[in-house]
Amino acid sequence: MLTFFTALFLLIAGYMIYGKIVEKIFVINDKNPTPAYETNDGVDYMPMHPIKGWLIQLLNIAGLGPVFGAVAGAVYGPPALIWIVVGCIFAGAVHDYFAGMLSLRHNGSQFPALVERYLGKGVKAFIYIVSLALMILVTAAFTAGPAELISLKTNGAIPFFAALVIIFAYFVMAAVLPINKIIGRIYPFFGAVLIIMAVSVMIGLMFSSTPIPNLTFENQHPAGLPVWPLIMVTISCGAISGFHSTQSPIIARTVKKESDGRKVFFGAMIAEGVIALIWATAGMTFFHGTGGLADALAAGGPAGVIDTISIEMLGSAGAILAFLGAIILPITTGDTALRSSRMMLTEAVAGLRKSRKAPKMIWMTICVGIPAFLLSTIDYTFLWRYLGFTNQTVAATMLWVATVYLLKEGKLHYIAGIPALFMTGVVGTYFLYAPETLNLDYGISVIGGLIPVAVTGFLYIKAIMKQRTAEVKDALYEH
C-alpha cells in the first residue's frame, strides 16, 4: 500500500503546507467584517461555526462526485491517483479557496459577478449562461439517479416519476428556506456519512488480502482511451471541479472570519481528494485490475460498483451506507445546485433591473427548477456527457479569475495562472476530441487543444508585462 499511503500523506501535507502558502499569498485579515455579519438577512447570510461550515461545504461540493468519478477514472489505473493528488492540491484546492475568499471579500457575490469584476462583462454574459446550464444539469442528473434507485429498491411501489416529484418538492424547500433550517441542521450528519463510508472502505482495504496496485505511469484503460484529457474530466470532484465555484459562495456568506477560509474551502477540497483517493484505490483493487472494474462499470455503472464494494467489504452495515450514499448524497448536491442557481438568477435579474429590490426568491427558484425537472425525466446518462465539459470550462474560468485578482494585487499569480493554463488545455482538447462535441481525431485534438492555451498564454504574458510596467512607473514616481 506504499503508493496509497504516500498519496494520502501528500494530500494532508498539501493542506498543512501549501494551504498556508496560498493563505499567506492571499493575505487574510480577521479584522475585516465578513458578509455573515455585515449582510445578515436570516436566510443566506448568517454566521456559522467553521466545523459545521466545513462539513456543509464538503457535502455541497462532493455528494457522490468523488465516489462515482473516482471509480470511473480508476479504469486508467494508478495515473488516476497521481491526478487526484496533484490536481487536488495545486488546482482544485486553490480554485475552491479563491472562489470562496473572493466571494467573501465581495459580500458573498456569486461566481458570475466575480467573473465580471475580474474578466469583464463579455465573459460574464457567457459564464452566466454556462453556470446556469451547469447548475440545471447537476440538479437534473442528481435527481434522476436517486429517483431511479428509489423506484428500483421499492420494486416499483414508488414509481420513478413520483420519486422525482418528491425529490423536487424537497429541492424547492431547501432552496428557499433559511440555510440553517435544513442545510445547516442535517448536512453535517450527511457529511459524516460520506466520511464514514470512505474511512470504512479504507480500513477494509488495509485488511484485504488483495494487493493494491503501486505507482506506474502506464495507461491501463482496457479500451485504450487516452489519459489526456479524459481522466481530468472523468475525475473532476476529488481533483478540480468548476461546480465548486458555484457552491463556495453559499458558505462564504456564513464564514465568521477570514482565517476560517483555509479550513472551510481549502480543507474541504483536500478532504474530497482523500475520499476520491480511497474510492479510486478500492475500484482498481477490489475487481482485481482495471479490466474487472471496466466490466463491473459496464454491468452496473458507478452505483453498482459502489454497492458491490460496500456490501462485500462491510456487510450489512455497508449495504445501509451504500443505500444512504446512493440516494441521499446526490440529493444533497442537487438541492444546493438549485439554491445556487436561484442565487445566480436573482443576482442577474437584479442587475438587469438596476434596482436594489431583489426579485422574489420563489419565482427565481421556479424559473430554474422547471427546466431541471424536465431534464431529469430523460435518460440521465445523456446529461453526464455534457456535464464534464461544462464543469471544467467553469473551473478554468475561475482559475483565470483568481489569476487576474492576484495580478492586480501584485501577488504571486503563478499559483493560479499555471493550473489555469493547464485546465484551458484540458477543456480545449476535450472539446475537440469528445464524441458529444466535435469528435475529431486524437492527434488533431491534442494539437488543436494547444490553440486556446497559446491565446490565453499570450494574454497572460501581456498582462504580466503591463503590470510590471505599471509597478516600475509607480516606483519611479515615488522615488
Side-chain angles (χ1 to χ4, degrees):
M1 297 184 71
L2 180 62
T3 297
F4 173 77
F5 281 116
T6 301
L8 185 62
F9 170 78
L10 289 173
L11 283 171
I12 296 169
Y15 170 73
M16 297 177 68
I17 300 171
Y18 196 63
K20 287 185 178 179
I21 292 172
V22 171
E23 183 183 61
K24 188 175 180 179
I25 292 169
F26 182 78
V27 185
I28 59 169
N29 184 358
D30 281 344
K31 292 182 180 179
N32 291 335
T34 63
Y37 294 104
E38 279 200 316
T39 318
N40 191 329
D41 62 359
V43 180
D44 295 319
Y45 294 84
M46 60 180 67
M48 190 177 290
H49 193 281
I51 294 178
K52 181 181 281 190
W54 175 79
L55 278 169
I56 295 172
Q57 172 74 359
L58 175 61
L59 200 57
N60 282 0
I61 64 175
L64 275 182
V67 182
F68 277 24
V71 296
V75 293
Y76 291 92
L81 307 184
I82 299 169
W83 167 238
I84 289 169
V85 172
V86 176
C88 182
I89 295 171
F90 297 105
V94 172
H95 170 283
D96 288 17
Y97 183 78
F98 279 95
M101 294 304 291
L102 288 178
S103 175
L104 186 147
R105 284 277 176 92
H106 299 296
N107 198 38
S109 291
Q110 290 294 299
F111 170 59
L114 297 176
V115 170
E116 178 183 19
R117 179 178 289 270
Y118 293 104
L119 299 182
K121 290 184 177 180
V123 182
K124 173 201 170 185
F126 166 74
I127 219 66
Y128 253 125
I129 296 169
V130 172
S131 298
L132 279 170
L134 175 62
M135 292 300 94
I136 290 169
L137 284 169
V138 169
T139 304
F142 280 96
T143 307
E148 193 173 77
L149 190 58
I150 289 171
S151 179
L152 181 66
K153 292 289 186 180
T154 59
N155 294 320
I158 301 177
F160 173 73
F161 189 79
L164 279 181
V165 172
I166 293 168
I167 292 170
F168 258 92
Y170 161 75
F171 277 6
V172 173
M173 281 196 305
V176 300
L177 285 175
I179 194 168
N180 64 337
K181 294 299 181 183
I182 294 180
I183 294 174
R185 289 185 178 179
I186 64 174
Y187 270 37
F189 168 74
F190 293 146
V193 169
L194 182 65
I195 295 168
I196 291 167
M197 282 178 67
V199 171
S200 300
V201 169
M202 182 179 74
I203 293 171
L205 284 171
M206 290 171 63
F207 291 97
S208 170
S209 58
T210 307
I212 294 175
N214 269 319
L215 182 64
T216 174
F217 293 96
E218 179 189 357
N219 179 6
Q220 297 178 8
H221 196 292
L225 293 177
V227 171
W228 170 272
L230 299 187
I231 200 170
M232 290 84 190
V233 177
T234 305
I235 304 178
S236 53
C237 287
I240 177 172
S241 168
F243 176 67
H244 299 184
S245 65
T246 67
Q247 300 304 291
S248 296
I250 295 176
I251 303 303
R253 298 179 177 192
T254 69
V255 172
K256 289 183 173 182
K257 55 185 179 179
E258 290 191 355
S259 58
D260 289 339
R262 184 169 69 93
K263 305 183 193 81
V264 173
F265 302 117
F266 204 100
M269 184 61 226
I270 293 295
E272 188 181 46
V274 171
I275 292 167
L277 177 72
I278 292 168
W279 281 104
T281 304
M284 66 181 74
T285 302
F286 185 83
F287 296 96
H288 307 285
T290 57
L293 174 59
D295 292 340
L297 286 168
V305 168
I306 301 307
D307 197 52
T308 302
I309 292 174
S310 299
I311 293 171
E312 291 292 328
M313 278 192 169
L314 308 174
S316 57
I320 295 169
L321 284 172
F323 180 76
L324 285 172
I327 292 178
I328 293 173
L329 297 179
I331 290 174
T332 60
T333 299
D335 63 6
T336 52
L338 189 65
R339 188 181 187 95
S340 181
S341 60
R342 182 263 293 172
M343 289 177 173
M344 284 184 191
L345 191 59
T346 301
E347 201 170 65
V349 172
L352 289 172
R353 286 181 176 181
K354 295 182 180 179
S355 168
R356 291 186 178 182
K357 186 178 179 182
K360 290 186 177 180
M361 67 173 68
I362 186 63
W363 294 116
M364 297 297 97
T365 305
I366 290 171
C367 285
V368 291
I370 289 174
F373 181 81
L374 294 175
L375 280 172
S376 67
T377 61
I378 67 175
D379 179 12
Y380 75 92
T381 56
F382 170 80
L383 302 175
W384 281 105
R385 296 179 186 177
Y386 296 94
L387 256 178
F389 171 71
T390 308
N391 188 40
Q392 299 306 57
T393 299
V394 172
T397 305
M398 181 60 230
L399 284 170
W400 283 119
V401 168
T403 304
V404 173
Y405 162 77
L406 291 169
L407 262 170
K408 287 184 174 181
E409 294 293 316
K411 298 173 181 177
L412 189 63
H413 49 83
Y414 297 111
I415 61 168
I418 292 173
L421 283 169
F422 180 85
M423 290 307 298
T424 300
V426 168
V427 170
T429 307
Y430 186 83
F431 179 75
L432 296 172
Y433 180 68
E436 65 269 20
T437 47
L438 296 188
N439 197 24
L440 298 179
D441 175 77
Y442 181 66
I444 295 173
S445 300
V446 171
I447 296 170
L450 294 174
I451 296 174
V453 177
V455 172
T456 52
F458 171 76
L459 295 173
Y460 184 23
I461 293 170
K462 188 177 178 181
I464 293 170
M465 299 304 294
K466 184 179 178 180
Q467 183 67 22
R468 286 181 178 175
T469 302
E471 287 173 359
V472 170
K473 287 182 178 179
D474 289 343
L476 288 172
Y477 178 78
E478 289 176 3
H479 180 71

